[in-house]
Amino acid sequence: MAAEKNDDPIEAMISSRVPRRTHQTVNPANPVETLTEQSTAEQADEKARTEAREPQSPPLHPPRHSELEGRLEVRPIGTPMGLRELAALHKRTWSTLNVQEKRVHVLLWPLAIHFGLYAVGPASERRRPPLIGAFWARCLADAPLTLGHLYPPQLFKGMLASEVFEFGGMVIDPNYQGKGLVKMMSDTARLFVFSRRPKLLITNPVEPLYQMYKQLGLRTVGREPVEHPHAFNVRVWLMYGKFDELSKPYFM
């Protein structure tokens, strides 16, 4: 006898579905080991997320102490305002040495390349930084040498005017209380000499600066300083240096 047909559509729909699996909770053999594995996996995921964030957001560091105090910068001086500041610096510096410049010496200033050392710091970001040091250099082809006539003529023998440079005007503000000014000025002067590479360099430092010029490797003409012909109450040393000799310690 054939099976009886179920005429109930709802009953037929329920009976035609695939029976669902009953969710059974499996108790692990070692629950402590399972928790440890989950904790280790979570720590690994957290470490991976942290490493992924580090290149994009590096940790913040407090400002260094030198950034709060300021820094020294070397800048060229070529504007009328810069030359006025330079004249004031010379007057303020040389007044302690009882030195007075003659006008003929001042007239040669625009013919030289002037370099100024400025104290740049947080307080000077919105105003002009103070000029605390300076020096100048000029080529014989552009301007006459200030004290060239006091040197022995054979020193210039066989040289072109473009190969001779005069270096001077090195002044330091006596009121500056920071450190590293003398070293930075010496390094900047040496950098200028190596960039231009003149065959002959002459300079006339005042007596208090003689040792600093001596450290640059310059030689001395004579055994004592001479009276400066273009400045009152000042004695200077006649010094010179040839680039081939000055560069030997750096090009072995």
Side-chain angles (χ1 to χ4, degrees):
M1 184 177 178
E4 294 181 359
K5 185 177 180 180
N6 191 355
D7 295 333
D8 189 350
I10 298 178
E11 183 69 22
M13 185 185 306
I14 295 176
S15 60
S16 62
R17 290 182 177 179
V18 180
R20 295 182 180 179
R21 294 182 180 179
T22 305
H23 181 71
Q24 297 181 356
T25 303
V26 180
N27 295 326
N30 191 350
V32 177
E33 182 178 353
T34 304
L35 293 175
T36 304
E37 292 177 356
Q38 293 178 355
S39 177
T40 305
E42 292 176 357
Q43 293 177 359
D45 294 341
E46 182 66 22
K47 182 178 180 182
R49 288 193 295 268
T50 304
E51 292 177 353
R53 288 196 303 266
E54 284 181 355
Q56 299 178 359
S57 57
L60 299 177
H61 298 285
R64 293 176 298 179
H65 189 61
S66 58
E67 294 177 353
L68 298 177
E69 291 184 349
R71 64 188 184 278
L72 298 176
E73 286 189 2
V74 180
R75 303 179 182 181
I77 301 176
T79 63
M81 179 181 295
L83 292 177
R84 286 194 298 268
E85 293 175 346
L86 181 60
L89 176 62
H90 272 272
K91 186 176 180 180
R92 184 169 61 255
T93 304
W94 285 7
S95 62
T96 60
L97 304 175
N98 196 23
V99 176
Q100 298 178 5
E101 260 187 313
K102 292 183 180 180
R103 182 171 178 80
V104 65
H105 196 204
V106 178
L107 291 176
L108 294 176
W109 278 21
L111 302 178
I113 306 172
H114 295 270
F115 299 90
L117 281 80
Y118 294 85
V120 180
S124 59
E125 290 181 352
R126 296 185 179 181
R127 60 182 178 86
R128 190 177 181 89
L131 178 66
I132 58 175
F135 68 91
W136 54 255
R138 55 175 167 246
C139 181
L140 180 57
D142 301 327
L145 299 180
T146 306
L147 303 183
H149 61 286
L150 298 179
Y151 287 80
Q154 59 270 21
L155 188 63
F156 305 94
K157 185 177 180 180
M159 294 188 182
L160 301 175
S162 58
E163 298 172 339
V164 181
F165 266 79
E166 185 177 15
F167 181 85
M170 188 174 289
V171 290
I172 299 175
D173 192 341
N175 300 323
Y176 180 70
Q177 302 296 327
K179 297 180 181 180
L181 178 60
V182 175
K183 183 180 184 302
M184 185 175 185
M185 183 175 290
S186 300
D187 293 343
T188 305
R190 186 181 288 107
L191 180 62
F192 172 80
V193 173
F194 274 73
S195 64
R196 294 302 180 97
R197 303 192 177 190
K199 284 189 175 182
L200 178 64
L201 179 74
I202 70 170
T203 183
N204 324 116
V206 295
E207 293 178 276
L209 298 179
Y210 173 72
Q211 291 299 329
M212 185 170 64
Y213 278 76
K214 193 74 175 178
Q215 294 176 0
L216 296 176
L218 300 174
R219 294 188 178 186
T220 305
V221 176
R223 297 183 178 180
E224 58 183 12
V226 299
E227 295 288 338
H228 198 297
H230 305 309
F232 296 106
N233 303 323
V234 59
R235 290 168 59 86
V236 296
W237 288 88
L238 301 177
M239 305 187 73
Y240 72 95
K242 296 182 178 180
F243 183 77
D244 292 340
E245 298 177 357
L246 297 174
S247 61
K248 283 182 179 179
Y250 305 94
F251 298 99
M252 300 298 294

